[in-house]
Amino acid sequence: MAFSADELRVLRRALANALHPAPLPDEDVRDALRLAHSVDEAVREAGRLRAFLLDDLARYREALPGSLAGYLDLLEDALAAGYDPGADDLAALRALRGSPPAARLLTRCQVLAERSVRARLARVSQATASAPAASRARLLALPGGRAAEEPRPKPPTPAPAERPVPKPSEVFPPRRRPVPPPPPEERVAG
């Protein structure tokens, strides 16, 4: 993202005011709001562009191997924009590793994918490492703890039913077999 000279002046005035608060003229407030709106719009546009790039990448990946050159270029652009290659990308590149550019890109994508997986695992392990400590602290803070526990009474057994439970054969009588038609000799012409 690049700022124009006017936008940099507005940004500099806003930062100076953040460091040394003072009442701002209305014009400076309007300029700061306009700059904030422009930055928000640039962020939204970057998101739309990223979504378009990833959709385009998926279309090219589905059209492989005929779209090899276009797919490799799009994947390079996506990686430069911070895209983490997925399993589909790695599988496509493995299938195309006979091409030297695809083989080089496969090596790069494998490294990036491994870094991404390691970072996710580190976040998960940090989250799970802090969760048990917090839950143990709460459990230890309960009054009495395990020593205060008394043996739990067993739930009462249900009383036997007054009527016996019917058998399935009593509820659903057996099927009667269909009577086979009489042989042709015994049929009477009518």
Side-chain angles (χ1 to χ4, degrees):
M1 182 181 298
F3 291 106
S4 69
D6 290 333
E7 290 171 333
L8 285 175
R9 277 189 222 107
V10 170
L11 189 58
R12 189 174 339 124
R13 283 192 306 248
L15 290 173
N17 188 43
L19 292 173
H20 304 288
L24 285 174
D26 289 341
E27 184 179 331
D28 287 351
V29 172
R30 280 192 296 271
D31 289 343
L33 289 174
R34 206 173 310 122
L35 178 63
H37 177 69
S38 296
V39 169
D40 290 343
E41 182 59 33
V43 168
R44 282 191 296 273
E45 184 62 30
R48 285 191 292 269
L49 182 61
R50 180 178 170 84
F52 174 77
L53 178 66
L54 294 180
D55 287 344
D56 213 18
L57 183 65
R59 280 192 294 276
Y60 273 79
R61 184 176 44 240
E62 289 170 7
L64 285 173
S67 62
L68 177 64
Y71 174 70
L72 295 178
D73 289 341
L74 283 173
L75 186 56
E76 288 271 352
D77 292 344
L79 294 174
Y83 172 69
D84 286 330
D88 293 340
D89 296 310
L90 294 173
L93 289 171
R94 281 187 193 107
L96 300 169
R97 71 177 130 203
S99 162
R104 282 192 302 274
L105 200 53
L106 173 62
T107 304
R108 179 177 171 199
C109 286
Q110 285 173 331
V111 169
L112 292 173
E114 185 177 335
R115 269 192 220 147
S116 175
V117 168
R118 286 180 189 270
R120 276 186 265 143
L121 287 175
R123 284 193 301 266
V124 168
S125 66
Q126 286 175 352
T128 56
S130 63
S135 64
R136 268 184 275 154
R138 284 187 303 226
L139 290 176
L140 295 175
L142 291 175
R146 282 190 139 174
E149 261 187 44
E150 295 179 12
R152 295 182 184 161
K154 293 184 178 180
T157 56
E162 294 175 16
R163 286 184 14 194
V165 177
K167 296 178 189 174
S169 62
E170 295 171 347
V171 176
F172 304 105
R175 284 186 172 180
R176 296 179 190 232
R177 294 187 179 172
V179 177
E185 301 93 38
E186 295 178 12
R187 288 189 194 159
V188 179

